[in-house]
Amino acid sequence: MTLLTNHPYPTKANFSDSRPKRSPDAAEWDDDEAEQEQDDDTETDTSTESEAESDKNAVRPPQVTLRRKVQNAKFSSWLTRRAQKVTKEDAKVAIQKADDETLSTRHLMSKQESNVIITDPREYQIELFERAKQQNIIAVLDTGSGKTLIAVLLLKWILDQELEDRAAAKPPRIAFFVVDCVTLVFQQFAVLECNLDQKIDRFCGEMNTDLYDKETWNKHFRNNMAIVCTAEVLYQCLMHSFIAISQINLLIFDEAHHAKKNHAYARIIKDFYLAEEDPTKRPRIFGMTASPVDAKVDVVQAAKELEALLHCQIATTADLSLLKSSISRPVERIADYDAPLAPYETALCEKLARQFGDLDSISRLVRVAALATSELGEWCADQLWYYALGIEEASNKAERQIERLFNAEKITRPVEELNTKLRRIREAKDLVSKHSFLPPAYFGNHLSSKVKRLKDYLEKIFERPTDARCIIFVKKRFTARVLADLFKRIGNPHMRIDILIGSRSGEAQDIKVTFRQQVVTLMKFRKGQLNCLFATSIAEEGLDIPDCNTIIRFDLYDTLIQYIQSRGRARHKNSKYLHMIQRGSRTHLQAIRDVQLGEQVLRDFCEALPADRLLQGNDSILDDVLMRERSLQIYTEPTTGAKLTYGSCLTVIAHFVACLPYEADAIQQAIYIMNVENRKYVCEVLLPEKSPIRTVFGQPSSRKSIAKRSAAFEACLQLRKGGYLDGNMLPTYHKQLPAMRNARLALDSGKSNAYEYRIKPKVWESTRGTLPEQLYLTVFNLTNPECLGLDSYQALGMLTRIPLPEIPKFPLYLLAGEPSDVVTSCVTDPMKVPREMLATLTSYTLRMFQDIFNKLYEVNESIMSYWLVPIVQNPPIDFRDQSPHSLIDWSIIKFVHENEEIVYEFGSDPEKLTNRYLVDKWDGGRRFFTKKYRPDMLSTDPVPENCAPSKYKDNIIEYTVSLFAKSRAKIKWRTDQPVIEAQRILHRRNLLDDMDNNDKDTRTLAFIIPEPLKHSALPTTSARMGYLLPAIVWRLEQYLVVLEACEMLGLQIKPHLALEAMTKDSDNTEEHRSEQIHVRRGMGKNYERLEFIGDVFLKMATSISLYSLYAADNEFAFHVKRMLMITNANLFKTARETKLYEYIRSHGFSRRTWYPEGMKLLVGKGINKTGLEVIKHQLGDKTLADVCEALIGAALLTDDTGNMDMAVRAVTVFVMNTDHKVDCWDDYYKLYQKPAYQIGEVSASQRDLADQVEREHDYHFKYPRLLRSAFTHPSFPFSWEKIPSYQRLEFLGDALLDMACVNFLFHRFTDRDPQWLTEHKMALVSNKFLGALCVKLGFHKHLRLNSPSLIKMIQDYVLEVQETELESEGARDYWTMTTANPPKCLPDTVEAYLGALFVDSEYNYKEIERFFDAHIAWFFEDMTLYDTFANNHPTTYLNNLLTLELGCTNYRLMAGEVPQLDPTAKYVAAAVMVHGEVIAEGTAVSSKYAKLKAASDALELLRGLAPFEFRERYGCDCKTEEDMGDAEGSGNGDGDGLVEGIRYGVDSAI
């Protein structure tokens, strides 16, 4: 027999540092910035040397440029080969498409499928579970093969049966999970508690169960349906008749190989199980073991004895290939060391032996210490004395042992002998305490050759910071202790060491280890706080120890099961199992041969078992069956002639499944579940979660293999019918489909078109062309009129032909930028307007335009849209019901109508010149408000320095006149005029926005004379308000335009929300935090926030509608149909068809466009305009879609009471799809037809589930089967309970939860922009939080699944998150502190529960909000805790792994497009290159996702490798700064590029 045939001896090079030398180069991480700008960038490598040179701080060694060129060339070569490979694959596909008759014999042979059938690795578990339901079995499967899953499935099935029995008034029974040691009690309890939703408890001797009486035990039995305990606890309960064997429905024996001789397992069976004569009253038995033997005995005989003793039959797999893809086996290696020295005594040992060797306790230690010099070295041997006598507690223990032995002797001896022994022990203790223990040294005999070999290997494993974990197995407790102490002294700083030994301590040198210490040690090992354990056999069997990278057998195993179990600890990818043997030792070589031979004998025994005892899978003797059953179905595709047979259907399904996208923890293959109906096999095939069809049943058959193919055949037919297989039986649904579909439906945010822009609302056109007989008054008031700087104040009124809506108040920024809100009030009753009154109103209105805005219009009342009026001072507080006539200050209107201006008379009282509005006759831009007469100044005085600027400033006369030089010379002004101090009116363009600093610093003080200026008849109160008119009218018209849009769409939305939803205030409004381009100030809020909440409501509304209409559809169909409705392309189409683009407000305030239209301008700018000009604006396609979503958000917020009918109506308007035709919320539930599973008969288990969940959240489910669906994982066969998985409900609940979270953030943080809201929403809806919430609520216990990997992942995550919560001491963000991410099924369960809650409550959304308030809101009351929340991204992780853990700086991630036969298809390949060689690749439709795939695959390859192994495998000789100290030129010349790689990795994740 060849030793380690599957794992050949390693040469010495395996452990040497010899490897090819390379010059130290720095890492390259391709910049993803260009990719973010253009996601489908397909250049091979866009980074250049010049880019690096552009960074003045970058230091790049000369060889990097050459290295980059070499890398580019190698990548191009690889990409070419990759393209050829793709072309060959395409050719193979073309062959498969061809008709058989047209192909050559060679090609026909290439079409034949292999005889090797693809077998799901979980089939043996399902088959074992089905067999365990029928009979007692012992599952003999390797460590890590999922025996616990079978036990969990069996327990759930037994407990469901028990609930039904109890509902039928049968006597209650209880299940026992029996283990061999205390540690396993707590471990297996943790597993079952995570996976069972029934009451369960655990008991062991350390809990003083021997003191329990019958009443206490009866209480525990009543309160629990399952018990985890040691075998001795159960035996004592049976012996004392606290429970009878007939009261037990299931006995699970963990590590069943212990059932022999007088072990408690054996006594339970012999004394109680077999004593029950009625077989119907005996419990079902399920045993689990990796090997039926645990000693050096005959394997076959031991297995038969175990079967007989446990009254079971062994069931195992005859084909180890069934397990290969389930269990990651380590690579086994041998590390040999030189023969040790013969045992001898050290100086300390010799001295102690000479003086105290006659004492039995000392003589025993002398023998042990002498052996230790040979096995471990002098330092370790001397440590034995320190442990035994140098530590106070240990020496006291030695004294107690002497005293106990003395008293136990049958012969009475004098007490003086005892005192003498105790005195001498104390002398020995003093000798040891005075001994100078030297630190360990590598030279000489301080360490044995074996220990030195171990040191060399561990130094290589822990050369750098690493996530690797290692267990060193030893036989003796002392060895574990002393080696741990040794390596804490001589090991490198990256080793975090502890011991894992049993809790029993006998000898004086032993250390006492409690069970709690064992648990804490394992917890730290799991978290990575420890990474190296020295362990005894306690770590071999059963304990839940994290997958290790390296297992080292420092002391070889004694039995086969020790070998199998310790090897099973190395389940990590790239793990190693190291046998340490003495060079030339036949004994050690024979030990390895013995376990190999024993394993082979065990395998032969398993293969020799009867056929009904083997797990053959579903494909036994397939060829014979297919030959005999020629009548099996064949489907011929009429369009192509392709044939589907029972022989090819499995391959078709496997190909289809391989093309599906997958989540991280999703099952990535079809699962075949075998059921028996009417003595025939019926197979159910479960396709992965992303499949459009999830479950299909085949036809009944007398053979499993045919039943399996029947299910696959039927699945193929359904996939073909649905269009998911093409005419050649090839998948049309590829991995790229979601990305491609999104790409087709997405819009380019950079693409824009010119659209007509509506400047004026249509309301002005109403009744235009006729003389109005009545007008409606709207009053514009200021909340802070003091900002006008006047002693008195009059509001401004507007008379319109039809009543205006009351628009929301808005701010104007007046003097010094001080804000004052404009409040709009509409008077209810109209005002009759005779012709004479209309003429007066027209005169006043046109005078306002002329004197204030220098616009002279033709008098034509029939085309005027509105008239301006002053409002009386101090009107009634609530004047809406007043007569409009009584609110107008007619005296002002009459005065202005009768006086074109106020004529200045020389000699008049100069004090009357104050508080007037003066206009420059020659420069309409120069206007003044007079303040006071200045008798102290003359018109010929020079102009003070602090005055408003002017071209002429020789004196006050020159300052007042604006004429040019020639005209000035023609006119002489009187010099005896009074000087008036005035305020020059600023020409601010936009009162809707705050003043900038330049405006605030502008000087307005002026000194003028009255003669050259026009004295307007308008009082200053009217003129001051007139200057506000452009801003007021512009904002009013913006509101009117958007309200007309809402009317056009049939939506009733509050004006301020409508305007916000349709405002685009920059060219790149959607770029939330980037520098916005061409910002139009003063437009108010833009659509961003409303689009944020509208997008989420759109998702929720369409999800509810689809769930209601198509309750039987799968999640895939839901997603596709929803995508077609909510995609930007669909919303854009609606916006185009409704001409919504006309109403979007993208132009800021303009003094050119606010003037009334239709009136003929006689004097002023714009006199040549016809009024028929078409104004256009550029809008991006995505902007139109975003505005649709913003209007949905506005409709949602319009009703403050929580009524969402208008938002529902808005969704219907914009999606324009038959899948959403409802107009109010209540219509959704009217669409819903309860599926048969929901209203089916409720079992006791389902009713019990509803009762339990009601205790976790205060809601009573009317339909428990609906709730069961929320807790049914896709891996759970439909045939077992006839209830669909949670995927449909999860689809619905995901949208509902999104809405609740966004509502919370939107209303709680009203000043936050959408970027902030989006980032912080990610915390609320993240899988990490929802997974922790699932555990917090206990929902994980109710989950029904059929996946061993998930069970393990759930258990590990639950343990970690609960420990983290406990350690956080009430921190609300404790869930972010976990190192592991939860299995996706946990957050999915929470979302599915919300979906079920919503449906069961008849679509009552308030129940979703109540759940949110009760269980989620508390975590997020302080959102600053989550400012830095981010996901772990593969490219970032890979970057850190290579640089920080493996010390490599010469690597690169690159991507390029691969040409294909189909020129319309896009195919990008990415590669991770290490030292110029491609180590991992990924393909996708974009470079972004191709790089992610390549990085993920590289992580799978590299995780678990020690730095020395990485260097050997990939020829890495990089020198980092850590390696080279502070020396210059450390080789990290590309440090800047490295930082960029990290940064862009994180950006991609966000």
Side-chain angles (χ1 to χ4, degrees), residues 1435-1486:
T1435 54
T1436 307
Y1437 194 171
L1438 177 62
N1439 195 69
N1440 293 335
L1441 176 68
L1442 285 164
T1443 55
L1444 302 180
E1445 292 191 20
L1446 300 177
C1448 179
T1449 55
N1450 186 357
Y1451 60 91
R1452 200 168 180 187
L1453 177 59
M1454 306 173 71
E1457 185 172 344
V1458 181
Q1460 294 192 85
L1461 295 179
D1462 182 0
T1464 64
K1466 186 173 181 179
Y1467 183 77
V1468 179
V1472 176
M1473 299 180 70
V1474 173
H1475 286 276
E1477 301 299 327
V1478 173
I1479 69 166
E1481 63 180 77
T1483 56
V1485 293
S1486 73

Side-chain angles (χ1 to χ4, degrees), residues 590-630:
Q590 188 60 44
I592 298 177
R593 292 190 180 97
D594 286 346
V595 294
Q596 283 194 316
L597 178 62
E599 191 169 26
Q600 183 60 46
V601 171
L602 179 60
R603 185 180 297 116
D604 294 341
F605 165 76
C606 292
E607 292 176 353
L609 288 172
D612 61 349
R613 306 265 295 280
L614 293 176
L615 306 178
Q616 296 285 356
N618 300 323
D619 300 297
S620 60
I621 54 175
L622 172 64
D623 294 334
D624 293 340
V625 173
L626 291 178
M627 286 296 293
R628 288 197 298 268
E629 303 204 22
R630 297 180 180 274

Side-chain angles (χ1 to χ4, degrees), residues 29-37 1435 1453 1491 1541 1544-1545 1548:
W29 205 250
D30 260 16
D31 195 334
D32 284 344
E33 185 171 36
E35 180 186 312
Q36 292 176 356
E37 295 176 358
T1435 54
L1453 177 59
K1491 287 182 177 181
Y1544 292 124
S1548 298

Side-chain angles (χ1 to χ4, degrees), residues 653-669:
I653 289 294
H655 189 189
F656 174 79
V657 167
C659 291
L660 296 173
Y662 294 103
E663 303 288 351
D665 56 356
I667 297 173
Q668 301 184 10
Q669 47 202 315

Side-chain angles (χ1 to χ4, degrees), residues 1335-1378:
V1335 175
K1336 181 83 172 176
L1337 294 172
F1339 283 179
H1340 63 286
K1341 299 178 183 179
H1342 310 304
L1343 191 59
R1344 300 219 158 187
L1345 68 163
N1346 180 32
S1347 169
S1349 58
L1350 271 182
I1351 286 180
K1352 181 67 167 60
M1353 292 167 66
I1354 291 171
Q1355 176 194 349
D1356 290 346
Y1357 177 74
V1358 169
L1359 178 62
E1360 180 180 2
V1361 78
Q1362 288 177 341
E1363 289 173 350
T1364 304
E1365 181 182 10
L1366 187 63
E1367 294 169 359
S1368 70
E1369 298 180 348
R1372 303 191 183 196
D1373 62 339
Y1374 71 86
W1375 56 271
T1376 65
M1377 305 172 193
T1378 59

